[in-house]
Amino acid sequence: MNNELFSLNGRIAWITGASYGIGFTIAKALYSAGAKIVFNDIGQEQVDKGLASYKAEGIPALGYVCDVTDENAVNATAVKIEKEAGSVDILVNNAGIIKRIPMTDMSAAEFRQVIDVDLNAPFIVAKAVIPSMIKKGGGKIINICSMMSELGRETVSAYAAAKGGLKMLTKNIASEFGQYNIQCNGLGPGYIETPQTDPLREKQSDGSRHPFDQFIIAKTPAARWGKPHDLAGPAVFLASAASDFVNGHILYVDGGILAYIGKQP
Ligand code: NAP
Ligand code: GCO
């Protein structure tokens, strides 16, 4: 098997919101395949923490302070990246937030904030890099979707609306820019052990597992939560020449949740 197919040598990869969590792990995976890593986070403190984490892994990443919802900041950061690292070959729209609030208790401002980060921002950042990808003869865009791109549940109305929209934005970018050799796909993690899901796994006062933790174990054929590293191989695949004819696809990495009715209680 020609492993050049999965090589990212000489490619510039921008992973948004990648000081830690899934973004950080995806960045490590792309680096291990040969990519040069660029990331941003919302504040200098987080970027500095991220740079220290990359350094500890021996990764000479470049970090930028940029709120992905701020179009001017994103465009300025894209120019800086092009000047300091080179034009972006691989964009991973990873930055994201969630607010777990019953819909009737959620304010419109809170709803808009989630849509802004999880849907508007991937549009803004993709728009900032597509012209240079076209000039370069192609590129890869990977949008980090979710189980909530396909399913709903109580308290995550804004997040599900955003991630559902992100699935369709992914398909539309694939449709509009495939002719320029740009492949845009989604990566749909299942339930992954990161700070974002820590509240769902908190031990109960009696030391038992969180009810939601037990629920996810019963809903997952693999009978475990995912770890960020479970996303490494799928991310390298979608970032590499191995997926040059995969476009507009959402690759779910969920241990089988979407295929399974769930274990009988
Ligand atoms: P996380 O631990 O909360 O990390 C999210 C990252 O995004 C943080 O670095 C955060 O920075 C950054 N961020 C948030 N708002 C930003 C903004 N406006 N501008 C720039 N950076 C911003 O989340 P995660 O679990 O790693 O999730 C990463 C992505 O995977 C998200 O899109 C999430 O929806 C998705 N996802 C997660 C799971 C899961 O089970 N964990 C499953 C499916 C999909 P700060 O810390 O500075 O705010
Ligand atoms: C939740 C979780 C999920 C995960 C992920 C699942 O509250 O249901 O946070 O939304 O973050 O998106 O794929």
Side-chain angles (χ1 to χ4, degrees):
M1 175 71 158
N2 164 10
N3 60 17
E4 272 309 298
L5 270 180
F6 295 88
S7 166
L8 303 180
N9 287 336
R11 307 276 177 89
I12 313 284
W14 178 7
I15 306 92
T16 67
S19 295
Y20 59 85
I22 285 173
F24 182 78
T25 299
I26 288 178
K28 277 199 298 183
L30 302 186
Y31 177 77
S32 66
K36 183 169 184 180
I37 301 305
V38 172
F39 77 101
N40 69 289
D41 212 309
I42 204 162
Q44 191 60 55
E45 189 188 337
Q46 292 92 332
V47 169
D48 292 344
K49 278 189 190 150
L51 287 169
S53 301
Y54 285 108
K55 191 174 177 201
E57 297 280 344
I59 301 174
L62 293 180
Y64 296 88
V65 176
C66 174
D67 176 346
V68 289
T69 65
D70 177 342
E71 188 165 21
N72 292 333
V74 166
N75 291 336
T77 300
V79 169
K80 258 190 242 169
I81 290 170
E82 178 137 10
K83 207 181 291 174
E84 296 167 8
S87 73
V88 174
D89 300 291
I90 302 158
L91 168 64
V92 181
N93 274 313
N94 165 78
I97 63 171
I98 191 167
K99 288 184 184 297
R100 300 183 181 99
I101 305 170
M103 185 176 146
T104 48
D105 298 341
M106 180 177 250
S107 70
E110 287 166 324
F111 187 92
R112 279 194 207 98
Q113 192 189 354
V114 175
I115 298 290
D116 216 12
V117 180
D118 295 2
L119 180 56
N120 293 346
F123 159 79
I124 289 169
V125 185
K127 198 168 82 131
V129 302
I130 283 172
S132 59
M133 286 183 173
I134 292 174
K135 255 188 239 146
K136 222 176 173 177
K140 299 282 187 178
I141 298 174
I142 301 169
N143 292 322
I144 306 299
C145 295
S146 160
M147 295 290 92
M148 274 54 221
S149 295
E150 301 294 343
L151 303 169
R153 81 174 186 85
E154 299 77 5
T155 77
V156 295
S157 59
Y159 185 82
K163 293 296 188 180
L166 185 57
K167 174 176 77 171
M168 285 317 301
L169 176 63
T170 299
K171 291 174 183 281
N172 214 75
I173 292 172
S175 306
E176 195 164 348
F177 299 100
Q179 61 187 304
Y180 302 107
N181 187 32
I182 292 172
Q183 291 83 49
C184 181
N185 292 289
L187 193 59
Y191 280 82
I192 313 293
E193 292 175 355
T194 74
Q196 191 247 49
T197 54
D198 281 344
L200 304 175
R201 283 177 281 106
E202 253 160 28
K203 282 274 185 265
Q204 303 301 281
S205 52
D206 62 2
S208 63
R209 298 177 87 133
H210 191 295
F212 196 88
D213 181 357
Q214 298 174 55
F215 170 67
I216 290 302
I217 299 296
K219 288 287 283 180
T220 311
R224 69 172 175 90
W225 284 69
K227 298 192 180 310
H229 185 69
D230 289 320
L231 299 164
V236 171
F237 167 66
L238 289 178
S240 70
S243 62
D244 277 356
F245 204 54
V246 178
N247 203 16
H249 182 73
I250 313 299
L251 177 53
Y252 287 104
V253 184
D254 65 353
I257 294 178
L258 289 177
Y260 185 39
I261 195 169
K263 190 174 288 306
Q264 185 182 350

